[in-house]
Structure formats: C-alpha cells, structure tokens
Amino acid sequence: MSAHDPIELAAARPDFAAIAAWIPEGASVLDLGCGDGSLLRYLKETCKVRGYGVEISDANIVACIKNGVNVIQGDLDSGLSGFESNAFDFVLLSQTLQATRHTEPLVREMLRVGREAIVSFPNFGHWKARLHVLRGHMPVSDELPYQWYDTPNVHLCTLHDFEKFCTDLSLQILDRRVMTGGSEIHLLPNLLGSMAVYRFKRAG
Amino acid sequence: MNNSVGIVSAQRATFDTPLIFRSGAVLPRYELVYETYGTLNADKSNAILVCHALSGHHHVAGVYADAPGNVGWWDTMIGPGKPVDTDKFFVIGVNNLGGCHGSTGPSSFDPQTGKPYGASFPVITVEDWVESQARLADRLGIKQFAAVMGGSLGGMQAMQWSLSYPERVRHVLAIATAPHLTAENIAFNDVARNAILTDPDFHGGNFYQHGVVPTRGLRLARMLGHITYLSDDAMADKFGRSLRAGKLGYSYDIEFEIESYLRYQGDKFAAYFDANTYLLMTKALDYFDPARACDGNLDKAFAAARADFLVLSFTSDWRFSPERSREIVNTLLHNRRNVSYAEISSEHGHDSFLMPHEHYFDLMRAYLDKIAKEFSA
C-alpha cells in the first residue's frame, strides 16, 4: 500500500471523504492551497475529477507533480484573476481558509470561478480550544498545532462565525459536515466538532 | 564522467521533398544535422525532441571524441540519471534549418547556384521549423514524441509542435518562453539586426563571396543580447563596478570588468556564428504569434493542442518574464489542458533556463519521471 492509497488517505484526512461524497464523477475542480496534491489525487482516483491545484510553496509544487496532479504556482492572496468565471464545478479550500489574509475577497472569487465552493477549517469553537482560552492560553491541538507566535493561521473562526459570514455575504449553505477525529458530530457541533466542511453557493 | 552520455557524434539527414515556407518560399532540398542520446524503445514511445534557442544547436549533451572539451549546451540537464534521463528516454537534438552548425542555412552552398545561399535563404518561422523537424521524426520512425521541450525560442517550437501536430506530442515542456514577443523584445532584436545590417562587411547578406565577415555587427548584436539575458542583480554580483586596472584610465579602452566580459562574449560569438543565421533566428522570434491567425485570440489558437504542458519561468527573467508564461498557462487553463506551472526563484535572468539549479532540476525530474512511467508501465 502506498502512502497515497485512497483508503489510507481518507483515514488520515477525514475531510477528504466528506468532500469526495459531494463531488459527482467527472466534475471539474480547483483546489486552492492544494499542498502536496493529496486531495486532488484522491479526488482523481475516487471521483475521476478534472482538476487543478494552486499552491505557493516550491516543495509542494514538486510534490504535486510527483502526485500526478496539475498545479499552478501562485499566491491566493493575489486573487484568481487567471481563472475564468464559472470555469469549475467546484472550488475547494481545504484547511486553508484560516491562513488566507484576504479571506472575504477570496471566498467571493471562489464563487466567481466555481459554481459551488467547499471549505474545510478547524473549529475554533471546539470545547478543547475554549478550554485552552479559559485557562488563559491560545489553543494548541491536532487541528491547530501551532504556537501563537509561529502560526500561519490569521483568520480563525467557529462554526457560528462562518455561518454568519455566509449570511452576510449572501451565500447559501448547501451542506455541512462536522467531525472530530474522523467521527461525524451531530450533537452540539460548534462545541463538540473539531473540524467542519461546508458546501455553499451564491444565494438566489 | 559517469553521468554524461559520453562520446557522441552528429548525424545527417537529407530531405529531397521541397519544403514550402510560411513566406511562400520553397527550399527544394535540405539537410538537418542531429544527435541522439539513449535508446529508442521497441514501440518508439520514449522519444524527446530538444528544440534549441537563438544561438543553440544539435550538440545538446556529451562530448566529441576529437574535442573532449566541447560539451553539449544542456549537458547538465540531459544524461544518465539526470533530469532528462537517457537511461529512460531517447533524446534528439537537432540544428534548426537556417542554422550555422551543419544544417542547411544561409552559409551552406545552394546547389542551384554553387554559391552560399546568403541573402537568398528564405526568412524562416517557428512553424517552418516544426515542419522540418516533423520530417526528421518521420525519418526516425517516431510517430509521437513523449515530449518536446525547449527554452526561450526552443519553448516556442515546443508549443508550436502541439499546435501543428497535436497528435504527435504527448507533453510540452515550455521553459522561459512567451506566447509572442512584446514590442520591447522586438525592439531589442531590431537593434541587434541593425548592428549586422549596417556593418559595411555585411554586403546585403552575401559577404561570403567577399571573403569577409560582419564581425563588428555580429559582436554588437551579441553584446546587446547578452545584456538582456542577464539580470541587473546578476551583473551587479558578478562584476559590480570593478575596474580591470584598479583605477580610472580616462580613456575609451576597456576599463570596467563588465565591458571586458561583454566584449569577450561578443568576440567569441562573432568568431563562430553566422550573421545571416542570427538575423533569421531573431526574425523567427519576432514572428512567432500563434494568436495572429485567430484574430489575436490565443485561446482559439491553443484549442487544437492535445498535449499536457509543463510551463516554467524564472523570477529575474525580464526578457521572457513570468507574466508571459502566465499568459500561456491561462490559455491552457481556458482550453482545459493538463498544465503545471512553476515560477523558479533565480537571479540569473533569462539565462537561468540553461543553468543548473536544484529546484528547477527537481521540477524537471519529477515531471519527466511521470512521463517515463507512462510508457514503462
């Protein structure tokens, strides 16, 4: 079994399976902040997507090429101007939202370029995060492994925050999956879920 | 030299079917010199064509038995275990038609007149080159290249391959190139051409019969070109304001190290390169513009392409800047081609594509290893 076996990948990254469940076979996908291309490769193998990734790191560009996925080197914070409107069925932002600087314009751009957007992020409202803050410290966890001084995460939010953000931007949430360690959370998601995946589009 | 292709020798192919140029001119017969490295596999699916840039030629890798110091111009990239791995690929380097390294060009004898072609050699385009290279591929029995690759003007040929012969190229590696030259770029070429055209020794292109060479023009052209292939930072690092004599001489002799370097480069180039070939090469660069036939719409021009693409640019390259590569990438995205793009941090300007650079080579190796798996699987 290779490190990129779909089953192993899904176990390591529970949001992958959640995302794949929403994507019909053969869809076109743009993955923003695609890292080493694992998600795109997973979606290629499970959903036969036609996809591209956007990534800034040199090492990840090489990793994407090794993973056999298309990758365009670029900075998300300088926008998606190279991409045509409605060019993709889905635009993904997996565990990257919290590290973007210009988050609101980026989310608008996602829905210019794609018909639907899928976003996953660590839930800052998770009880462990709250407990850290209650004890007087910034949260550090599996989902948020950084110290306050070295974190790339500049825009952290809770499920409630994200849903209000969608309302404010006139975005219609189509589906949501909340998870902790690979198990789906239905009860008190903003307190018990460590990670969330949302699927949304422009309202109306 | 354990990772060199070792001793190589040039081969020659003669084509007797007339080649009709874009300009309408006809060349009844021509020869191409080329070299090959590695072994063509049984189903002939592992061939890579390396297209050269302005001053390049067919000697891409290895050395000659009688000239062990004459190392191929992309030897760092191509060889056993190198990014373009000759243990896996059959690599072809060809001297372009109109060149001055053995293929038929302005300095070759025209059998109809018994004199060098000189000014009568047709102005050639990138499309014409691809046509001539396709005939060489036919001759070698290669129906489809695993990849066609090149930097700068070589990248233009690689792209043109995917437009002229979409089914004959699986991958295009377009490095430090552009979908067409900008006005500024054409302007540089025109100054270079003018240096040659106005040299009294040029004789309208027929200088061979006069027993002279327009050395001054060629040397100026090369000096100008060379400046544009480097970057401000690279020149500052390498030469700064260093003086050869250590002090000002209050004369017009060579004083600054950069002057010395440029004149050396100019002299070296003018000693072996043909002035008419230089003119042809710069003209081919200026004319390349696949969008032109599609009312300026590059997306339409690339609609024919079927290949997958790797597009690479270098941060300090201002002659073929990363923005120009992004134009290629955007067109490929609009056409839903498979494409990967990387912008490589390098301070060496346009010349970066010829230099060994760890990340650049990692990218090439990763991409080419994926290609190799397509035919070894």
Side-chain angles (χ1 to χ4, degrees):
Chain A
M1 287 280 173
S2 81
H4 290 288
D5 179 76
I7 297 161
E8 284 183 29
L9 261 179
R13 288 288 299 270
D15 55 328
F16 282 16
I19 292 168
W22 289 333
I23 294 183
E25 198 166 297
S28 60
V29 168
L30 179 66
D31 184 8
L32 304 177
C34 66
D36 66 3
S38 294
L39 174 59
L40 272 176
R41 180 171 170 160
Y42 178 77
L43 294 175
K44 254 175 85 170
E45 285 166 6
T46 55
C47 311
K48 298 183 174 55
V49 300
R50 188 178 61 74
Y52 302 88
V54 177
E55 175 58 42
I56 193 165
S57 127
D58 285 350
N60 276 335
I61 301 290
V62 176
C64 283
I65 291 172
K66 286 182 179 166
N67 265 325
V69 302
N70 296 313
V71 63
I72 311 297
Q73 190 158 26
D75 182 358
L76 295 183
D77 281 322
S78 38
L80 303 177
S81 56
F83 297 97
E84 287 180 314
S85 297
N86 300 310
F88 294 93
D89 297 322
F90 295 90
V91 180
L92 317 181
L93 193 63
S94 167
Q95 302 293 340
T96 304
L97 179 80
Q98 71 280 2
T100 60
R101 277 156 52 86
H102 308 296
T103 308
E104 185 187 324
L106 180 63
V107 171
R108 288 187 193 279
E109 273 287 88
M110 288 174 74
L111 287 173
R112 175 184 68 80
V113 168
R115 289 192 298 106
E116 289 185 18
I118 296 174
V119 163
S120 70
F121 57 88
N123 174 26
F124 214 65
H126 186 232
W127 66 269
K128 280 187 183 170
R130 297 185 196 202
L131 202 59
H132 272 94
V133 175
L134 209 61
R135 285 176 175 158
H137 290 285
M138 287 296 283
V140 178
S141 65
D142 288 347
E143 284 82 10
L144 296 165
Y146 302 98
Q147 296 293 335
W148 64 271
Y149 52 83
D150 65 5
T151 181
N153 300 327
V154 290
H155 285 143
L156 291 156
C157 67
T158 69
L159 306 196
H160 290 167
D161 292 331
F162 185 77
E163 287 170 18
K164 181 173 183 306
F165 171 79
C166 288
T167 308
D168 293 347
L169 264 62
S170 300
L171 307 177
Q172 182 190 346
I173 293 172
L174 300 168
D175 217 333
R176 178 187 81 177
R177 297 277 297 278
V178 183
M179 282 170 272
T180 300
S183 320
E184 192 153 0
I185 302 293
H186 296 285
L187 184 72
L188 299 172
N190 197 38
L191 187 65
L192 301 180
S194 65
M195 192 263 291
V197 197
Y198 284 84
R199 175 181 166 200
F200 55 96
K201 64 174 189 174
R202 283 174 299 240
Chain B
M1 291 197 290
N2 51 12
N3 62 348
S4 164
V5 297
I7 291 168
V8 299
S9 55
Q11 297 168 73
R12 183 172 294 273
T14 305
F15 301 89
D16 290 318
T17 311
L19 186 70
I20 302 165
F21 287 55
R22 276 293 154 120
S23 65
V26 178
L27 200 59
R29 183 177 180 279
Y30 65 94
E31 291 185 330
L32 293 179
V33 289
Y34 64 98
E35 290 179 7
T36 69
Y37 323 110
T39 310
L40 189 60
N41 62 9
D43 60 358
K44 301 183 175 180
S45 61
N46 69 333
I48 292 182
L49 177 66
V50 178
C51 301
H52 69 74
L54 202 155
S55 60
H57 43 71
H58 56 288
H59 184 39
V60 185
V63 295
Y64 295 129
D66 57 353
N70 185 356
V71 181
W73 58 268
W74 222 355
D75 191 75
T76 53
M77 182 68 84
I78 297 160
K82 291 180 181 176
V84 181
D85 190 343
T86 50
D87 289 337
K88 297 170 182 166
F89 293 104
F90 177 68
V91 181
I92 304 164
V94 58
N95 183 214
N96 281 359
L97 196 59
C100 53
H101 289 88
S103 291
T104 303
S107 54
S108 314
F109 279 89
D110 179 352
Q112 288 178 337
T113 65
K115 287 189 281 193
Y117 286 95
S120 71
F121 197 88
V123 169
I124 198 162
T125 64
V126 170
E127 292 99 312
D128 298 327
W129 277 332
V130 169
E131 201 55 45
S132 68
Q133 291 161 357
R135 292 187 184 176
L136 178 62
D138 293 342
R139 187 71 56 87
L140 297 171
I142 295 158
K143 289 195 173 66
Q144 186 189 57
F145 284 105
V148 180
M149 63 187 279
S152 192
L153 180 55
M156 289 176 170
Q157 293 162 62
M159 288 189 283
Q160 185 60 45
W161 258 96
S162 74
L163 308 182
S164 295
Y165 293 101
E167 309 300 335
R168 296 192 72 171
V169 49
R170 293 202 300 279
H171 295 269
V172 168
L173 284 73
I175 306 162
T177 190
H180 58 253
L181 292 194
T182 59
E184 187 191 50
N185 237 325
I186 294 170
F188 281 124
N189 283 343
D190 193 46
V191 174
R193 279 193 295 270
N194 263 284
I196 294 168
L197 293 168
T198 58
D199 185 321
D201 286 339
F202 183 62
H203 294 287
N206 297 316
F207 50 88
Y208 316 100
Q209 290 97 304
H210 294 81
V212 291
V213 174
T215 309
R216 284 164 294 179
L218 196 51
R219 162 174 189 271
L220 276 177
R222 184 56 172 179
M223 285 167 76
L224 172 72
H226 208 88
I227 297 168
T228 69
Y229 305 145
L230 301 176
S231 72
D232 197 11
D233 285 349
M235 276 206 238
D237 274 2
K238 200 166 172 186
F239 309 105
R241 293 183 51 83
S242 299
L243 292 161
R244 286 197 10 143
K247 59 179 184 184
L248 298 178
Y250 301 98
S251 76
Y252 299 112
D253 294 338
I254 296 172
E255 294 200 80
F256 291 94
E257 286 291 356
I258 182 65
E259 295 174 313
S260 164
Y261 172 78
L262 277 180
R263 289 185 203 195
Y264 169 75
Q265 291 294 335
D267 287 339
K268 195 172 79 170
F269 188 73
Y272 75 86
F273 208 81
D274 179 71
N276 283 311
T277 292
Y278 199 92
L279 296 176
L280 285 178
M281 293 283 172
T282 58
K283 212 62 186 167
L285 272 164
D286 291 1
Y287 280 0
F288 181 71
D289 183 9
R292 189 178 163 84
C294 302
D295 301 321
N297 187 329
L298 191 64
D299 290 355
K300 266 192 201 165
F302 270 83
R306 291 292 168 271
D308 295 350
F309 287 73
L310 176 68
V311 180
L312 302 178
S313 71
F314 298 89
T315 49
S316 59
D317 183 353
W318 55 281
R319 189 99 197 239
F320 290 80
S321 69
E323 288 71 32
R324 315 309 318 286
S325 284
R326 281 303 300 247
E327 288 173 37
I328 299 166
V329 170
N330 289 345
T331 275
L332 295 169
L333 286 171
H334 299 163
N335 278 294
R336 306 184 166 199
R337 302 308 327 146
N338 283 318
V339 54
S340 285
Y341 168 67
E343 190 177 313
I344 299 157
S345 294
S346 165
E347 60 158 16
H348 298 292
H350 187 51
D351 272 353
S352 298
F353 87 85
L354 293 167
M355 301 203 178
H357 177 293
E358 191 182 353
H359 178 53
Y360 173 32
F361 279 28
D362 283 349
L363 288 162
M364 293 291 286
R365 188 186 301 276
Y367 195 84
L368 286 154
D369 282 354
K370 291 300 282 191
I371 299 179
K373 288 200 180 82
E374 289 170 10
F375 56 76
S376 60

